[in-house]
Amino acid sequence: SQQGEEDPQALSIQEGENATMNCSYKTSINNLQWYRQNSGRGLVHLILIRSNEREKHSGRLRVTLDTSKKSSSLLITASRAADTASYFCATAFSNTGKLIFGQGTTLQVKP
Amino acid sequence: GAVVSQHPSWVICKSGTSVKIECRSLDFQATTMFWYRQFPKQSLMLMATSNEGSKATYEQGVEKDKFLINHASLTLSTLTVTSAHPEDSSFYICSARDYQGRGVEAFFGQGTRLTVV
């Protein structure tokens, strides 16, 4: 069953602007991961944040995790047209690799 | 990163026939793989956990006789959609984790788009 809710469902911004996506989940987690999916393609792993971490950076990506609110956010700074894709958060309850995905946010970056 | 290869990338089949999808870990051993299903403009739904050398574990609501999973080796899991019908048309994606040291992230195959006509 799905665990995560993401908002917004769709986001349209201009190139150069920042994009923020939020994810909420329902149960305790081991870690939370963000993935990107280009239309009709497989998933690309972006970043992982463990339950004992609060913030993590990777290039233009910044992820926060608030376990008290059971929520996470993904910030993409200085967006590019090539960032246009769907973004999913996924929660892991253990280290088995099993993931439960959120509903996803479709991001459109206009050149 | 680790590579997971899925084949075929797309398949069209007639209603009533069976279709097999392969998921291979190319440069690591995967004792466990996962199969997901994705409908257009929707998220990924976990279907089942494929365990090497033992029976797969299916999520609630997934018909195990409809979606046969075999994980006969440490690098290969197969999903067979039996007696496919148009409502089985979907995007199927597998994933695997490299338990031998590359962290806890899962690596995904490219996905298989199944169209049943």
Side-chain angles (χ1 to χ4, degrees):
Chain A
S1 61
Q2 294 300 110
Q3 137 118 305
E5 299 283 336
E6 287 187 59
D7 76 272
Q9 289 188 342
L11 181 60
S12 181
I13 58 175
Q14 293 294 134
E15 208 165 27
E17 295 180 340
N18 296 340
T20 300
M21 293 160 250
N22 303 295
C23 166
S24 62
Y25 56 93
K26 298 176 183 175
T27 62
S28 297
I29 60 171
N30 177 283
N31 64 77
L32 185 145
Q33 304 176 37
W34 285 89
Y35 286 83
R36 166 197 169 121
Q37 184 182 36
N38 286 79
S39 181
R41 308 289 295 275
L43 274 75
V44 174
H45 182 266
L46 295 177
I47 196 165
L48 178 151
I49 187 164
R50 297 179 188 274
S51 60
N52 61 353
E53 297 176 311
R54 292 296 167 260
E55 188 172 311
K56 209 162 182 181
H57 298 254
S58 177
R60 294 185 295 114
L61 305 179
R62 173 177 168 252
V63 169
T64 63
L65 179 65
D66 187 335
T67 52
S68 66
K69 295 181 180 178
K70 292 187 168 57
S71 68
S72 174
S73 68
L74 171 67
L75 168 67
I76 303 174
T77 60
S79 64
R80 305 166 182 168
D83 294 329
T84 295
S86 292
Y87 292 82
F88 295 93
C89 69
T91 50
F93 308 104
S94 64
N95 287 333
T96 62
K98 178 178 177 178
L99 298 172
I100 303 297
F101 283 82
Q103 298 300 317
T105 295
T106 299
L107 172 66
Q108 181 185 30
V109 182
K110 299 175 184 176
Chain B
V3 179
V4 173
S5 177
Q6 199 171 329
H7 178 81
S9 54
W10 60 270
V11 58
I12 301 173
C13 71
K14 291 185 177 180
S15 192
T17 61
S18 295
V19 174
K20 181 185 285 188
I21 302 170
E22 293 186 347
C23 180
R24 293 181 185 274
S25 56
L26 296 187
D27 55 353
F28 66 99
Q29 294 181 336
T31 54
T32 304
M33 292 184 175
F34 303 91
W35 287 95
Y36 296 84
R37 180 176 184 175
Q38 185 180 32
F39 289 106
K41 300 189 186 303
Q42 293 190 27
S43 186
L44 282 76
M45 294 285 292
L46 178 65
M47 298 175 66
T49 302
S50 173
N51 304 299
E52 186 268 335
S54 65
K55 291 182 179 180
T57 305
Y58 290 82
E59 296 298 305
Q60 191 173 10
V62 178
E63 299 176 61
K64 60 181 180 182
D65 295 331
K66 174 76 170 175
F67 299 100
L68 299 179
I69 291 173
N70 184 277
H71 195 151
S73 78
L74 286 171
T75 59
L76 174 64
S77 174
T78 60
L79 168 68
T80 301
V81 183
T82 63
S83 187
H85 288 98
E87 57 265 30
D88 298 323
S89 298
S90 190
F91 192 57
Y92 294 87
I93 312 177
C94 68
S95 76
R97 188 196 149 202
D98 178 4
Y99 287 85
Q100 292 177 321
R102 302 195 209 204
V104 298
E105 69 188 83
F107 298 96
F108 283 81
Q110 311 95 309
T112 297
R113 184 162 302 284
L114 170 63
T115 302
V116 185
V117 297

